[in-house]
Amino acid sequence: MSAKFAFVFPGQGSQTVGMLDAWGDHPEVVRTLVEASEALGEDIGALIKVGPKEQLDLTTNTQPVMLTAGIACYRAWMAETGLVPAAAAGHSLGEYTALVAAGALSLAEALPLVRFRAQSMQQAVPVGVGAMAAILGLDSAAVIEGCAAAAAATGEAVEAANFNDPKQTVIAGTKAGVDKACELLKAAGAKRALLLPVSAPFHSSLMKPAALALQARLATTEFAALQFPVINNIDVAAVGDAAGLRDALFRQAFGPVRWVEVVQALKAQGIQHVLECGPGKVLAGLAKRVDAELISATVLDPASLTEARALLG
């Protein structure tokens, strides 16, 4: 019998031009790209294959493209192994990928929703007004404190947005607020404070206008029963009913990603193997830093799929 495992799905930042090339003409990957292109009325396969990078990195493209790539890898896994995860989760945008994998939404339903989410987020804060930064080497309590001090000193918005691992927290807010917080946090002992190449302050209160637009769109979105639990970002809870899913996705847009707790919640369910499904290796690395006992791997191409399958026994 195979070991109990969970899938985690990456968010923005893991996209690269050609990220599905290694799959060649795998039928599930080809099918997913055709489906995505039809749902959005453009050639998603070409955008992934040839870019250009500047287009791929636009939030309005990145979010649907990462959803597509994650589902392509998930379908390839299911076709090759037939092994269903005991649970799933996704980092920020990845939560939508997890819900598609679990059957709550079809890919064709999720893609326009995710593009709308991306457009709303970009429109909420003009490019250059907001910022995000990764704070390394400080625990989350110190980061929260530093953000509060920076907000008090400047009158600007700045908050902890992603709790990624015990010593890595991403902050978000206005550019002035984030700059001040970085200065204070470095003085408080942070090893590094790195501004991130993003176009909006995701998961901060500045995203509230985007969240309200998304809430209206979610109100008309139907959700089917989940085939396995999905641990959400905002409450670190597995919600199954449509009203609960809508509410969690609404609040997720302007609330923090509690990733450390999400990984801990997966382990509390008896899961020892965490497989990152989709491009990149960020979440597999974070899982190990959250809990060294967890065994993590990736499913991003045929070779890694084979390795991950063997790992499960």
Side-chain angles (χ1 to χ4, degrees), residues 74-279:
Y74 179 75
R75 288 176 173 177
W77 168 272
M78 290 306 299
E80 300 299 327
T81 74
L83 296 177
V84 179
H91 192 286
S92 185
L93 160 77
E95 190 167 305
Y96 288 79
T97 319
L99 290 170
V100 174
L105 291 168
S106 70
L107 182 61
E109 290 165 334
L111 281 165
L113 176 64
V114 159
R115 173 153 277 173
F116 179 81
R117 176 183 186 262
Q119 288 167 338
S120 301
M121 285 176 155
Q122 196 55 78
Q123 288 162 6
V125 180
V127 174
V129 172
M132 297 183 80
I135 309 301
L136 309 181
L138 270 189
D139 64 37
S140 57
V143 174
I144 292 168
E145 203 176 299
C147 286
T154 61
E156 300 279 343
V158 58
E159 301 143 32
N162 299 347
F163 297 99
N164 284 337
D165 77 26
K167 294 290 183 182
Q168 185 202 115
T169 303
V170 173
I171 63 173
T174 64
K175 180 76 168 63
V178 168
D179 284 347
K180 183 64 175 177
C182 287
E183 176 195 317
L184 294 177
L185 291 165
K186 279 194 275 196
K191 285 179 186 167
R192 298 179 80 184
L194 304 170
L195 281 173
L196 300 179
V198 295
S199 53
F202 303 118
H203 301 289
S204 74
S205 57
L206 297 174
M207 288 288 107
K208 191 72 184 283
L212 290 168
L214 181 62
Q215 186 180 39
R217 178 72 178 253
L218 285 165
T220 62
T221 303
E222 295 297 324
F223 289 88
L226 277 74
Q227 291 154 18
F228 46 81
V230 173
I231 309 289
N232 68 30
N233 290 180
I234 193 71
D235 299 317
V236 194
V239 178
D241 63 291
L245 290 169
R246 290 186 187 104
D247 183 53
L249 291 173
F250 157 64
R251 287 182 294 119
Q252 188 230 46
F254 64 97
V257 174
R258 296 163 61 187
W259 195 249
V260 172
E261 294 169 89
V262 168
V263 173
Q264 289 167 341
L266 292 172
K267 191 185 180 193
Q269 291 189 12
I271 287 162
Q272 285 294 336
H273 294 75
V274 175
L275 307 184
E276 179 171 5
C277 189

